[in-house]
Amino acid sequence: MRAVTTGLRFPEGPIALANGDVLVVEIRRGTLTRVAPDGTTTVVADLGGGPNGAAIGPDGAVYVCNNGGFAWHDRDGGITAPGHQPPDYVGGRIQRVVLDGPDAGSVTDLYTACDGRPLRGPNDIVFDADGGFWFTDLGKKRERDQDTGALYYARPDGGAITEVVHPLVEPNGVGLSPDGSRLYVAETGPGRLWAWDVAGPGRLDEPRRLLHGFAGHQPLDSLAVDGDGNVCVATLVTGAISVVSPDGTLRRQVPVPDPDPYVTNICFAGAGSHSAWVTSSGRGVLYALEWDTPGLDLAFRA
């Protein structure tokens, strides 16, 4: 792996753009940030709270899961670690950011609740070919309790949101198989990777299936699906991207060069490309590397 840029403040949610730039959120900084191939960074928008997962929508805008922020801890060895719900927490939300044009950088809060229940800690997001998006809400932790999590489906116009699966235990990464027929969700603490068959936009067939359970203490973070259908899920503590085949076999684990317990996400440049980027959040690094399998074209790109 090659470090593209350093000094990011807990980067997550990478998006590879057609021009070679990569968008990331900086959770601790509260921004959506553009990283050029030479490592130069530019703030696209100030989102506040804790911007987490991000994806390009059908209108070319960036849709961001904002978890409301964390209390932060600086650990020995230069590692930044997220903690409990912060004192200034104002709730979770789904935000829309204009990427280009005269309104570039403008931010709209699309959803803050579903059926009267506030969103707590939206985490990761993926669009389907129909133009709607799935997103996870991991919830927040406090000194003596924590929220149960859920999986939602929503429309990008801000007009419809549905809770599809509840409860889940710290649902984090979410992704779709190359043909859109299967949905994957990673649960952080339990280290479980679940799969559902997709019945239609916003609809899943039950029961869900355990695709892979990680042995020992290997919490899971966000994920991406490659062109061969492998689920590439960031694995905390281990500090690696774990590659799980569609049949549930753990094929390999790819660690970052400088050990980091907070390796949080991966993205690909698209079909036919072997370029990938990995966020090493605890050390504030965005890495680039050549992946051994081709990437996947997401439903929408910019």
Side-chain angles (χ1 to χ4, degrees):
M1 296 189 191
R2 172 181 62 86
V4 178
T5 194
T6 61
L8 299 170
R9 302 190 70 189
F10 214 85
E12 242 269 42
I15 302 171
L17 301 180
N19 69 350
D21 292 350
V22 177
L23 294 177
V24 296
V25 297
E26 294 185 71
I27 302 180
R28 188 169 187 175
R29 192 181 185 188
T31 62
L32 177 67
T33 302
R34 183 190 291 264
V35 182
D38 65 0
T40 304
T41 62
T42 306
V43 172
V44 175
D46 188 347
L47 302 172
N52 211 137
I56 302 294
D59 55 358
V62 184
Y63 290 76
V64 178
C65 290
N66 195 312
N67 65 40
F70 295 112
W72 294 96
H73 307 281
D74 295 314
R75 295 183 174 177
D76 292 341
I79 298 294
T80 296
H84 290 161
Q85 178 177 306
D88 60 352
Y89 172 74
V90 294
R93 60 204 63 241
I94 302 297
Q95 297 173 304
R96 176 184 181 273
V97 182
V98 177
L99 188 58
D100 297 306
D103 296 325
S106 64
V107 181
T108 303
D109 288 347
L110 287 183
Y111 299 103
T112 59
C114 177
D115 297 330
R117 292 185 295 272
L119 300 178
R120 300 295 300 166
N123 190 281
D124 201 11
I125 179 173
V126 64
F127 275 87
D128 63 16
D130 189 63
F133 61 90
W134 298 91
F135 75 93
T136 54
D137 189 326
L138 186 145
K140 305 302 286 186
K141 290 183 177 180
R142 293 162 293 277
E143 188 64 31
R144 291 181 177 269
D145 69 287
Q146 68 181 78
D147 303 314
T148 55
L151 173 70
Y152 294 89
Y153 186 82
R155 302 300 303 183
D157 61 2
I161 181 172
T162 303
E163 182 184 87
V164 183
V165 180
H166 177 273
L168 289 166
V169 181
E170 297 181 325
N172 196 315
V174 61
L176 289 162
S177 61
D179 64 0
S181 67
R182 185 185 283 189
L183 182 87
Y184 300 105
V185 171
E187 288 183 314
T188 297
R192 295 184 297 219
L193 187 59
W194 295 101
W196 287 262
D197 290 331
V198 177
R203 296 184 294 116
L204 300 175
D205 286 334
E206 292 286 356
R208 62 183 173 181
R209 301 182 302 281
L210 181 64
L211 185 70
H212 190 85
F214 284 73
H217 184 50
Q218 296 190 81
L220 302 180
D221 208 288
S222 297
L223 63 85
V225 178
D226 70 17
D228 288 349
N230 300 303
V231 183
C232 306
V233 58
T235 309
L236 305 175
V237 180
T238 304
I241 301 296
S242 299
V243 181
V244 179
S245 68
D247 67 4
T249 302
L250 178 62
R251 293 185 56 201
R252 66 187 185 282
Q253 292 185 305
V254 182
V256 294
D258 199 358
D260 183 355
Y262 293 101
V263 173
T264 57
N265 211 339
I266 182 172
C267 75
F268 300 103
S273 171
H274 288 260
S275 296
W277 290 265
V278 172
T279 49
S280 177
S281 301
R283 295 193 182 278
V285 182
L286 176 67
Y287 287 105
L289 71 158
E290 288 297 300
W291 203 248
D292 68 338
T293 54
L296 175 69
D297 282 338
L298 297 176
F300 306 101
R301 292 194 67 192

